[in-house]
Amino acid sequence: MKREAWKPEAGAQFDSLEQSEQLALDENLEGAIALEIPTESFANVSRIAARSQSIQMHYQVAMSQPESHLFEVTLHVSNWQADTALNLKMPVWTPGSYLIREYARHLQNFSAVCSTESPLPWRKVGKNHWQIDPQGSTTLTICYQIYANELSVRTNHLDSTHGYFNGAALFFYIPGYEQQSIQVEIVPPQSDWQITTTLPAVSGVANTFEAIDFDTLVDSPFEIGKHQLFEFEALGKPHQLAVWREGNLESDRLISDIQRIIQVEANLFGGLPYDRYLFLLHLSSHGFGGLEHKNSCSLIYQRFGFRNKDKYDRFIQLVAHEFFHLWNVKRIRPKGLEVFDYEQENYTPSLWFSEGTTSYYDLIIPYRAGIYDIRTYLNALSKEVSRFLTAPGRLVQPLAESSFDAWVKLYRQDANSPNTQMSYYLKGEMVSLLLDLQIRSRHSNKRSFDDVLRLLWEQFGKSEIGFTPEQLQQTIESVAGLDLSDFCHHALNTTAELPFDQYLEPFGMRLLPDRDDSLPVLGLTLKTEHGREVIKFVESGSPAQQVGIDAGDELLAINGIRITADQLSDRLRDHQPGDSLQVTWFHQDELRQAALTLAAPRPTRFQLIPCDRPTRKQEQLFHGWLGVSLGEIM
Ligand SMILES: [Zn+2]
């Protein structure tokens, strides 16, 4: 965010913006402002107030007993208006992860004192809102502890081996002062713990860093401990890879591949918009995930997942994905995410672009970087198409709605989610593929979706002005040279099937449904848990649902013989669609039995394959898209 934020030209977002600014005014700046500029609008008043009244905020983060998982946080506020209550608010979410996480629930032992160490009265005004009476003091010291025992990229983790935190989950903001700089001093528990972050160090002050505003503080995770730290250059700029815990990664190979990813993505966007960048990697037994930041990313991955080729490729795609985000979503932002409101959901219908297009590129970037070959790429893309075309939720939830409802759906999966939800990552990836193919075929590969990204970067990303859904469509149309209103309407606002073959055909490609392993359909998935065969998912309208089988039920037998998860396919293979099966199961501890009729098989996989006898034009288009001839993939 630029310092002179609140971007007055950003009309569409102003409703929610003004509300939050008005709140800040009501709670914090009342008397002083009213006297200065009685006729100004709330938005203008707040902006001027923040400029005219400068306060100092200094955080100290200690961790004297890391095994207790408690960060000990001290906030010093100085130059405060002695007669004005100090409001402190903790974010309820962090950008990049669209769920209300209620970070304040981890806070304990809150206290406040004045400059003479006398306790100051305070009260809670809301779940994440503390209010302190300064009692005439211009200097206030606030102490609290944050319990940090969740190993994920978007929360905090502290134990005897390290401390990791995200600003949104650790720090308060002072409404009306979000644009002021904040210092952070780290007190490690041992002298051999190092501190890694992208915030600049304050010169001459040990272990102290400065964020130019609250957004930057939230966007700059810290890793503190004895992690391995690798330094390397890419395009003349310094980069770091910090690795917590041991695993089987080969650092030289990994850094070389990361450098290639950086090179390819920088070429796409035309340079690197940062001074330095940090890859922060946590190794765990089964972890997978990433969180993007402007100048860094946090990654979590399985510690022994670097030698197996498929797993290594998956990790490289994760790196390509999070790095791509430094442009797409961190700087090229939907209007709904232009100015972050840390107190509530920030809605946008455009996450299909922020996440889906990023997912489309996370597969192709490693291929362009020469990290894997064309077959690996096409197989990976085929898997994504298969996941999409076998997801029942694609026929229920439109893409724009999936994005808007991320806060209550995608991040809150339950047993029925696959029936009713369509991930904006996955369908957004498919829509990006079809848009890329449309642009490429119309312009003989002289234009592509890369041009859309470059144009968005120029028009919205560099200045960090949020784009509206209409502006996004206009930008794509201007590159495509096509009216895409019909395509966009169907792809984003309806559940109409996507016309894959229509857009693949000019490239000499088609989708082959794989019927070899198709089985008569029962309509459930099964997993063995503690020796019980538990039903994980029941498809809407399936034979299983029709007889009342539910997710969570325990499946016992088919035709009187015990069934296990690993035998289910083999048992179904003995039958034909239309056959009747006797199924026995427990539903809420009650024994049930019913006869059900198996449904017709459906493809479970789709493979992207060349058409028979491609034309010269198809050959040319395919070569222009992926740089190899169709013959090489036959
Ligand atoms: Zn992402």
Side-chain angles (χ1 to χ4, degrees), residues 306-454:
F306 296 88
R307 295 269 165 88
N308 172 292
K309 184 186 179 306
D310 288 347
K311 289 180 179 174
Y312 183 75
D313 290 346
R314 190 71 202 92
F315 178 71
I316 285 296
Q317 288 159 3
L318 178 65
V319 171
H321 183 101
E322 303 307 333
F323 193 73
F324 199 85
H325 271 318
L326 79 88
W327 291 277
N328 191 20
V329 95
K330 291 313 299 186
R331 291 174 171 90
I332 305 171
R333 292 200 294 278
K335 186 61 87 183
L337 297 171
E338 182 181 89
V339 177
F340 298 124
D341 179 346
Y342 293 105
E343 277 216 281
Q344 58 191 319
E345 293 85 349
N346 291 215
Y347 296 107
T348 171
S350 300
L351 290 176
W352 74 266
F353 175 78
S354 303
E355 289 297 350
T357 299
T358 301
S359 298
Y360 175 58
Y361 277 89
D362 76 33
L363 289 194
I364 201 166
I365 294 283
Y367 170 62
R368 289 184 186 173
I371 295 171
Y372 49 62
D373 62 14
I374 184 68
R375 285 178 190 279
T376 303
Y377 172 65
L378 288 175
N379 282 337
L381 188 58
S382 298
K383 266 189 198 156
E384 295 292 87
V385 173
S386 302
R387 278 209 303 135
F388 174 71
L389 287 174
T390 54
R394 80 186 187 286
L395 302 174
V396 178
Q397 188 184 40
L399 186 48
E401 185 184 302
S402 167
S403 166
F404 194 88
D405 281 343
W407 302 87
V408 291
K409 293 206 170 172
L410 189 85
Y411 281 87
R412 286 187 177 155
Q413 297 285 309
D414 59 33
N416 195 41
S417 296
N419 281 324
T420 58
Q421 290 187 34
M422 186 63 247
S423 157
Y424 50 81
Y425 283 80
L426 184 54
K427 188 169 181 183
E429 181 182 0
M430 299 297 108
V431 170
S432 301
L433 165 69
L434 297 191
L435 285 167
D436 194 20
L437 294 178
Q438 285 187 71
I439 296 169
R440 287 175 177 277
S441 69
R442 183 171 168 84
H443 297 280
S444 303
N445 284 305
K446 291 189 179 66
R447 293 185 191 176
S448 72
F449 211 77
D450 294 5
D451 296 296
V452 172
L453 287 157
R454 279 190 280 271

Side-chain angles (χ1 to χ4, degrees), residues 256-308:
S256 162
D257 285 344
I258 290 176
Q259 285 170 316
R260 293 203 234 179
I261 299 276
I262 294 170
Q263 180 82 52
V264 170
E265 296 193 13
N267 283 351
L268 197 162
F269 286 99
L272 296 172
Y274 54 74
D275 296 327
R276 63 194 181 111
Y277 190 92
L278 166 66
F279 296 89
L280 216 167
L281 172 58
H282 290 161
L283 299 177
S284 79
S285 297
H286 304 290
F288 178 86
L291 187 66
E292 64 275 10
H293 301 286
K294 274 183 178 170
N295 302 325
S296 65
C297 61
S298 294
L299 308 164
I300 186 165
Y301 204 67
Q302 46 186 293
R303 60 201 304 169
F304 298 112
F306 296 88
R307 295 269 165 88
N308 172 292

